[in-house]
Structures are given as C-alpha cells and as structure tokens.
Amino acid sequence: MNKNHYAIILAGGVGSRFWPISRTVHPKQFIDIIGNGKTLIQETYQRLSKICPKENIFILTNESYTQLVKDQLPDVTDQQIVTEPVMRNTAPCIAYGCFKIESLNPDAVIVVAPSDQQILDEDAFISALEKSLKTAAEHHCLVTLGIKPSRPDTGYGYIQYSDIVINDDFHKVKTFTEKPTLDIAKGFIQSGDFLWNAGIFVWSAKAIVKAFETYMPDLHNIFDDARLVYNTEHEVAHINQVYRHCINTSIDYGVMEKAGNVYVLPSDFGWSDLGTWASIYELSEKDRAGNAVSSNEKVIMQNSSNCVVNMPGNKLVILQGLNNYIVVEANNTLLICPRDQEQSVKQIVADVKSRFGVEYV
C-alpha cells in the first residue's frame, strides 16, 4: 500500500435532517442508519483503509465527538483525530487537516471524504479513488468525484464539465451549482454534461496548500503560521486559539469554484449521500404498497402507501390512510412529515431548539 496515500474523513456534522434519530450529541455518522451492523463512519473508514495505510487515515470532527470516534474506531490513535473547537463549514477544517498532513509528508496525496455516505459498489469506488490519486499526483490538480445522475434531484449540488480531458477520464470542470430548482435540475439532466457533486476530493498536499494560498490567503496564513506546532503537544491549544478567526465557508465556494485546475471523474458506484429520509427510502426494501418500514414487526400499515417508517421495536404502531409520509420516533420525539416536505426538517429542528432549548435536538 502506498505510504504517500492519506485520507481525511469529515465527521463533524450534526445531521439535523435525520432528526430525531440523529441528535447533536450523537449524530448520524455514529449511527447504524442502514441497519447492517456498522455505523456510517465505520463503513467509511473500512472502505478507505483499502487504499490508505490505517495510520494515514485522519478523522476530522468536532472535539465533542472525540470519544465517539475512539469508541467506534479503536484502531485510530489520538494523533489521527483532528478536532475543530467550533463549526466553521468545510474550508477551514479541510485546510487544517491538509496542512497537518503536509507537515508530516510533503509528498502526500489526500482523499477527503464525508463520513455519512452509502457506497453500494465498493470495488468501483476503490477503482475511482486509485485512478484519482494517480491523476492528482501526476498533474498536481484538484480532483472531485462526480456521480452520473439518475434523476433530476433538487437535494444535490451539480458539477458541469467540459470536453477537455486528462488521463482519459478526468474532465475539466466548468461550473459548480448549488441545489437547483426542479426545472433547472431537469435541464441539467437533459444537457448531459452535469454530474451530482459527491463532496469527495482528491489532491496532492502541495496542490491544495497552493490553492489555499491563491484563493483563500487569510485562511492559508492561519494554518501556515501553525506549522511549528503540528503533531506536537502544543497543536490543540494553538488551533483552539486561532480557529475562531477562520472564515465560515465551504471548500466548494472557497476553492473549487475559483481554481482553474479542477477536474472531475464521472463515476457510478451506487452512491447516496444519506442526507435525508428520502435517501433512506430509496435504499430500503419496500412492501407491495411502497412502504419502507424499519425492522419493527409491530408496525401495521392499513390503506397506507409510499411511507418511510422508523419506530421503536417495543411499540405497536397502526397507520391508517397515510400516503407519502415520514413517520419517525426516537429520543422521546415523534416526527410526522409529508415526504415532499422533508427539506423543512432542518427548520423544524431550529424551531424546536428555539422553543424548548437543546433537550430535544
């Protein structure tokens, strides 16, 4: 296994769109949402350990989740758990992780991947990453994996690519677009040159450090000034002090949309970002009426269809005449929501927090 291959697993989010199962103190990446006996972060770590030495895999998370990481990934050392003291979106935490790795190995080539995605075809995923690592190392470019879209989904960002190609398969990126309206998403699909943005990146340490210097110089300076403390006993204290000065923005907006050396690999490996209950519905087995019911055998569906239901196993539940709904109970909270309004769950969580405090979120 190539000693220059590194990985950063992004595991700091709170997963509010999976509320009430996902809570601030125990978010979705640390939950077995699929029901296969492994949490999402455990699956991600296991996949990446097939292309990176285990000692080269870093977990980037909020400091409040340190113990959860240790409990679920016992092979990971304290030095491999990189914590942010406050949430500042993806640009600062990725900069921190990449600078830390670059200080360990200037020749590093790094995969950055979310901790909460479902990959059905693992072999195809590994193959895509291996090709991306090779291309990123050879061309000193910024690579992202784009998913060939199967439908005009409004819950994903999109990547438009050009006919300019390197290494046979990597297309130069033209534009990044945030979650579009349905009509715009339909246009993207029809055009044939748009991919879903999976949020998976591959680049050499030198290339991403240079990109931060060029496009986010203030952020670059914060982590460049910390070079003497990386991987020492002074690292955490220093980062806790300077991190609050970091801009709150995404890596897409801060770097990827601006850089001229961004390439995308069109990919198809059974990907889902598991961002919403709809994604769980798509992956779940369904009864004849299209209902996706969790393992609770005490759920009775009468004249109900196309619902996603996740209830505690000890509770008898009868749903009569309910169509296209999300019904979820966890942590002393019951959520009943139309499936076509699931994007409002995030706002519901904010309203609950405003009214009742943090007890239920």
Side-chain angles (χ1 to χ4, degrees):
M1 197 170 288
N2 194 322
K3 62 180 177 58
N4 290 334
H5 288 177
Y6 287 75
I8 295 173
I9 298 176
L10 303 178
V14 297
S16 59
R17 286 180 296 175
F18 265 119
W19 184 84
I21 283 181
S22 178
R23 303 285 286 267
T24 301
V25 296
H26 199 102
K28 67 174 179 175
Q29 60 266 33
F30 302 107
I31 298 172
D32 176 14
I33 285 182
I34 301 298
N36 62 2
K38 296 176 184 174
T39 66
L40 296 179
I41 193 172
Q42 287 173 330
E43 284 200 302
T44 303
Y45 178 83
Q46 186 177 59
R47 281 194 295 267
L48 292 175
S49 67
K50 295 182 178 180
I51 58 166
C52 300
K54 285 189 174 183
E55 63 270 20
N56 288 1
I57 301 176
F58 290 77
I59 315 301
L60 222 159
T61 190
N62 190 278
E63 61 184 5
S64 60
Y65 302 143
T66 300
Q67 193 57 50
L68 279 171
V69 173
K70 289 182 177 181
D71 291 344
Q72 296 197 3
L73 302 176
D75 290 343
V76 170
T77 66
D78 289 350
Q79 277 296 315
Q80 292 170 263
I81 303 174
V82 183
T83 60
E84 51 178 351
V86 291
M87 291 184 182
R88 285 290 186 268
N89 213 315
T90 54
C93 65
I94 288 174
Y96 177 20
C98 289
F99 269 88
K100 179 181 172 74
I101 289 172
E102 192 253 2
S103 71
L104 284 170
N105 182 355
D107 296 321
V109 190
I110 306 167
V111 176
V112 178
S115 58
D116 53 0
Q117 298 184 340
Q118 173 77 352
I119 307 294
L120 297 179
D121 189 343
E122 194 168 275
D123 290 340
F125 176 72
I126 297 301
S127 176
L129 285 185
E130 287 175 339
K131 288 198 294 185
S132 299
L133 285 160
K134 182 175 181 290
T135 297
E138 289 177 353
H139 293 271
H140 297 289
C141 57
L142 309 179
V143 174
T144 183
L145 301 190
I147 307 302
K148 297 172 184 177
S150 58
R151 60 187 182 277
D153 200 300
T154 60
Y156 299 148
Y158 286 75
I159 302 170
Q160 184 184 25
Y161 60 91
S162 74
D163 293 331
I164 301 172
V165 178
I166 59 174
N167 284 17
D168 299 326
D169 300 314
F170 294 80
H171 292 255
K172 191 173 178 63
V173 170
K174 291 172 69 175
T175 62
F176 285 85
T177 303
E178 288 300 309
K179 299 172 184 177
T181 63
L182 183 58
D183 286 342
I184 292 175
K186 288 179 179 177
F188 287 171
I189 302 301
Q190 291 170 358
S191 73
D193 59 352
F194 281 83
L195 303 163
W196 287 336
N197 185 353
I200 302 171
F201 309 104
V202 184
W203 43 51
S204 68
K206 291 175 181 175
I208 190 62
V209 166
K210 180 65 176 177
F212 279 119
E213 182 180 19
T214 304
Y215 304 106
M216 303 189 73
D218 290 344
L219 193 66
H220 171 274
N221 291 342
I222 287 173
F223 293 106
D224 190 57
D225 290 344
R227 285 185 183 278
L228 291 177
V229 302
Y230 290 133
N231 309 298
T232 74
E233 60 183 342
H234 305 293
E235 177 180 338
V236 173
H238 179 86
I239 294 299
N240 287 351
Q241 181 181 356
V242 302
Y243 207 85
R244 299 175 191 278
H245 300 295
C246 292
I247 187 172
N248 187 342
T249 194
S250 70
I251 191 69
D252 283 340
Y253 181 78
V255 173
M256 303 300 282
E257 293 179 13
K258 300 178 174 66
N261 62 335
V262 179
Y263 289 81
V264 63
L265 176 63
S267 306
D268 187 6
F269 39 72
W271 172 89
S272 172
D273 77 337
L274 297 184
T276 63
W277 285 108
S279 58
I280 293 296
Y281 180 82
E282 292 295 329
L283 291 168
S284 300
E285 291 187 14
K286 304 170 187 67
D287 63 19
R288 291 181 179 179
N291 298 305
V293 181
S294 63
S295 57
N296 183 356
E297 297 178 355
K298 295 181 179 179
V299 174
I300 299 173
M301 308 292 289
Q302 295 187 339
N303 193 29
S304 297
S305 61
N306 302 318
C307 294
V308 53
V309 183
N310 193 309
M311 301 293 291
N314 60 348
K315 179 163 290 190
L316 175 62
V317 180
I318 299 95
L319 298 181
Q320 167 70 39
L322 209 58
N323 300 301
N324 294 299
Y325 266 78
I326 300 165
V327 183
V328 181
E329 182 176 340
N331 301 305
N332 202 29
T333 303
L334 173 65
L335 172 69
I336 303 173
C337 174
R339 278 180 54 207
D340 61 3
Q341 296 179 34
E342 69 161 0
Q343 295 294 339
S344 66
V345 171
K346 201 168 185 177
Q347 183 58 48
I348 291 170
V349 174
D351 293 343
V352 168
K353 184 176 181 180
S354 174
R355 185 167 179 179
F356 299 106
V358 298
E359 179 183 356
Y360 293 98
V361 301

